[in-house]
Amino acid sequence: MFTEGSEVNAMGRTYKTVTVMDIDFFNTSMNSFLRHIVYPDLANESKNFIVTANPEFVIETRDHPEFKKVVQSADYVLADGVGIVNAAMLMGRPLPERVSGIDVMYRMLDHAAKNGYSVFFLGASEDSNKKAVANAEKLYPGLKVAGRHDGYFDPADTEIADMVVESDPDIVFVALGMQRQEKWIADNIDRFDKGVFMGVGGSFDVLSGKAQRAPKIWIRLQLEWLYRLIQEPKRIKRVMRVFEFMLLHTPVIKHLLRMFGYSKTRPRGKS
Ligand code: UDP
């Protein structure tokens, strides 16, 4: 199920990745990632595709080989879930902390406002997108908004991508939901000369005030998924996948599953 982590060279530093179910997680803390990767990439106008993945996301890559390829094509995959951090710890290759996508987005917005980088907001409903942008401008005075568009369009229609390219953004946040957003980035990133691209899931809904983030105590108790489930009971099917991930990473159960020949994970490159 696990392979040894590979090495990634970034900004003159070497980082070991931690591989969980064929996905190479970047071994970093939030601060280090921002300071040593994102901020220099913005300053150098480098291109950078960031994926933030939680256990449900990893199970999704296992079940959708095309999606797995998209994720494996990203420059950095961050561990956006305690489940990933716990799994890495059980492997004896600990990751320093959970690096939550929404927090990375907030930190990048702050940095962008202070340093004159422009941001494109792509995704969520029209109302949520509009309010998210308005709130970002309030929270981060001076923020340059390169543009915005809701996430309900046909991805095959290149008009939206044309619009984003023409706005020449430094940062593109894409909130189209898991799979759709990563695919949009992978399909379009080559058309840009520069930019940090990140799929942000439901983060615009939180920024707009449409959805609430779990209170800190729920996060500390590792129950953020339960809080989201209470807010959106229709997520139950998705939450079951988190349990599947937990089962697959509980040592006793993992050994039993192996003993009985159950492992859906294929060797890298063979999916
Ligand atoms: N969304 C979108 N276009 C679509 C489907 C979804 O813009 O075709 C938006 C949706 O409005 C929401 C976000 O994508 O703001 C998905 O949020 P979710 O919490 O489901 O993110 P995930 O957990 O899938 O990353």
Side-chain angles (χ1 to χ4, degrees):
M1 177 157 298
F2 304 118
T3 58
E4 265 308 296
S6 50
E7 289 188 347
V8 175
N9 290 303
M11 308 305 296
R13 288 161 174 258
T14 303
Y15 295 84
K16 276 242 177 210
T17 57
V18 176
T19 309
V20 179
M21 291 177 85
D22 294 348
I23 302 300
D24 288 341
F25 283 88
F26 197 55
N27 194 343
T28 183
S29 65
M30 162 107 69
N31 278 334
S32 174
F33 182 65
L34 288 165
R35 261 195 244 131
H36 300 303
I37 308 288
V38 178
Y39 300 164
D41 276 354
L42 283 167
N44 299 332
E45 300 198 340
S46 308
K47 256 197 278 188
N48 175 341
F49 173 13
I50 304 166
V51 165
T52 68
N54 59 20
E56 183 200 340
F57 191 106
V58 170
I59 295 278
E60 190 89 352
T61 62
R62 183 201 63 186
D63 296 345
H64 298 91
E66 284 309 310
F67 179 46
K68 186 193 267 186
K69 274 191 208 141
V70 166
V71 174
Q72 288 175 334
S73 77
D75 296 297
Y76 305 104
V77 183
L78 304 177
D80 186 1
V82 280
I84 303 291
V85 176
N86 291 343
M89 194 174 61
L90 288 171
M91 289 160 58
R93 303 268 326 273
L95 290 163
E97 62 182 358
R98 173 186 176 202
V99 184
S100 122
I102 190 164
D103 290 327
V104 173
M105 181 184 86
Y106 284 134
R107 293 277 300 269
M108 279 168 65
L109 284 169
D110 184 50
H111 186 76
K114 288 175 179 153
N115 294 277
Y117 298 122
S118 65
V119 182
F120 198 104
F121 296 76
L122 180 66
S125 66
E126 168 59 19
D127 183 52
S128 184
N129 180 289
K130 200 170 164 183
K131 283 189 185 142
V133 174
N135 285 346
E137 285 175 314
K138 252 186 254 155
L139 285 167
Y140 305 101
L143 181 72
K144 271 198 214 165
V145 176
R148 66 166 199 90
H149 197 280
D150 69 75
Y152 291 86
F153 58 88
D154 177 2
D157 174 359
T158 56
E159 241 177 63
I160 306 296
D162 292 345
M163 185 177 77
V164 186
V165 172
E166 271 158 35
S167 73
D168 194 29
D170 295 298
I171 298 171
V172 183
F173 291 129
V174 187
L176 303 176
M178 171 171 63
Q179 285 222 42
R180 242 187 238 108
Q181 59 198 22
E182 284 74 26
K183 188 168 183 322
W184 188 92
I185 295 172
D187 286 348
N188 293 289
I189 194 164
D190 287 347
R191 301 188 53 198
F192 293 80
D193 294 327
K194 62 167 184 188
V196 174
F197 297 77
M198 184 166 85
V200 294
S203 301
F204 291 176
D205 293 337
V206 174
L207 185 54
S208 69
K210 188 179 157 202
Q212 299 296 318
R213 216 180 156 191
K216 282 209 173 80
I217 182 75
W218 288 67
I219 297 175
R220 221 173 300 138
L221 293 172
Q222 308 193 354
L223 290 173
E224 200 171 5
W225 58 271
L226 180 61
Y227 188 86
R228 280 197 90 179
L229 179 63
I230 294 166
Q231 283 198 321
E232 268 183 86
K234 64 177 192 299
R235 293 180 81 90
I236 185 69
K237 247 195 182 158
R238 300 179 56 161
V239 167
M240 295 316 288
R241 320 195 87 195
V242 178
F243 287 120
E244 187 184 348
F245 182 90
M246 279 155 67
L247 284 177
L248 287 171
H249 294 85
T250 303
V252 176
I253 296 171
K254 206 171 81 185
H255 283 296
L256 282 174
L257 289 172
R258 272 209 195 130
M259 241 167 70
F260 291 107
Y262 177 89
S263 174
K264 279 197 182 175
T265 311
R266 298 170 195 96
R268 279 188 74 105
K270 295 202 177 152
S271 52

